[in-house]
Amino acid sequence: MGVSIHYRGRLDDISMLSDLINELSDIANSMGWEQTQLDDDWSEPPDACLHHTSTGAHIQGNLGLKGIEISPGSGGEPLSFYFNCDGELRSVMGMLLILEGTVSPANAWTSVKTQFVSPDVHVWMIGLLKYLQKRYISNLEVSDEGEYWETGKLDTLYQRRQLIDDKIEQLSGALSSNQLGDIKNMTPEQIATKIEQLLLDKDTNL
């Protein structure tokens, strides 16, 4: 849950990827944002997968992605601009899901949640996406849950964010210990049923 920006597209000219990376790196440096770059081998077929160990999940193999992601930090999610050998935008997780067959390439959007950064950051991200659409990815599609991409109206963005904030607060209240009651003697299945019922009861207000 939370306001997110979803985007997908393909580089107009894959030879311009290095220019895009350099520009975004310069932008990140000038704004004090964090950045991460990938430079995988495009000559080898991607074969990456998640490998689970006692210390967590790790990516093994070749994602087949090149590009950069930039992040405002302070809990904000990164804007990813990674591309496969055909110049198609792919997120790391999206690529993993494609490789395991869970998501089709046609339905693989890249997303960034902006609910927990300032509205100014959301606006700035939309401005950056519009710039990249003009310069590098003319077929870029954007679906903005804050509706700023579509409308350019700050009031609409603020209203959408407030709506989501209210939903999160209501959901948190629905799942509070006061609402759940004494769960010490409940089985996991009973707790799940209790939570489901609470959410159904709240559904008309969410």
Side-chain angles (χ1 to χ4, degrees):
M1 182 179 289
V3 171
S4 297
I5 302 168
H6 311 279
Y7 53 102
R8 64 182 177 183
R10 183 173 182 168
L11 279 170
D12 295 337
D13 184 347
I14 203 160
S15 69
M16 298 180 70
L17 177 57
S18 60
D19 292 337
L20 182 151
I21 292 172
N22 290 335
E23 279 203 57
L24 291 177
S25 179
D26 288 344
I27 289 170
N29 288 333
S30 67
M31 297 186 67
W33 282 27
E34 301 166 2
Q35 60 179 289
T36 303
Q37 297 190 28
L38 287 178
D39 188 19
D40 290 339
D41 188 351
W42 277 348
S43 68
E44 296 292 330
D47 59 0
C49 64
L50 274 181
H51 179 64
H52 297 275
T53 68
S54 58
T55 59
H58 308 278
I59 297 174
Q60 287 189 337
N62 178 31
L63 281 165
L65 299 177
K66 296 179 184 288
I68 185 173
E69 66 179 20
I70 59 176
S71 170
S74 303
E77 292 188 357
L79 266 173
S80 294
F81 298 99
Y82 295 135
F83 300 86
N84 65 13
C85 62
D86 294 320
E88 296 166 328
L89 262 170
R90 294 285 184 256
S91 67
V92 169
M93 186 54 64
M95 193 65 191
L96 288 170
L97 293 174
I98 289 171
L99 291 173
E100 72 176 25
T102 305
V103 172
S104 69
N107 293 324
W109 292 73
T110 298
S111 300
V112 55
K113 185 180 294 185
T114 66
Q115 185 70 26
F116 304 111
V117 295
S118 71
D120 290 346
V121 173
H122 186 109
V123 169
W124 188 93
M125 287 180 172
I126 292 297
L128 177 61
L129 289 169
K130 287 186 177 290
Y131 167 75
L132 295 177
Q133 185 186 52
K134 291 179 180 178
R135 183 166 173 79
Y136 295 104
I137 315 169
S138 59
N139 71 344
L140 183 69
E141 297 178 69
V142 176
S143 176
D144 178 9
E145 293 175 3
E147 299 182 13
Y148 187 72
W149 170 272
E150 295 83 0
T151 68
K153 296 180 179 179
L154 281 173
D155 287 348
T156 302
L157 171 60
Y158 292 143
Q159 289 168 6
R160 292 293 299 165
R161 285 173 60 98
Q162 187 59 55
L163 176 64
I164 298 298
D165 283 341
D166 291 345
K167 288 182 178 181
I168 291 173
E169 184 176 347
Q170 291 172 9
L171 183 59
S172 297
L175 299 179
S176 69
S177 58
N178 289 336
Q179 292 289 326
L180 284 173
D182 187 3
I183 62 174
K184 292 193 295 294
N185 297 317
M186 289 185 183
T187 66
E189 291 75 16
Q190 289 172 326
I191 294 172
T193 300
K194 180 74 170 178
I195 290 173
E196 181 180 14
Q197 187 58 53
L198 284 169
L199 293 178
L200 288 173
D201 291 344
K202 292 282 185 177
D203 188 54
T204 55
N205 296 319
L206 291 178

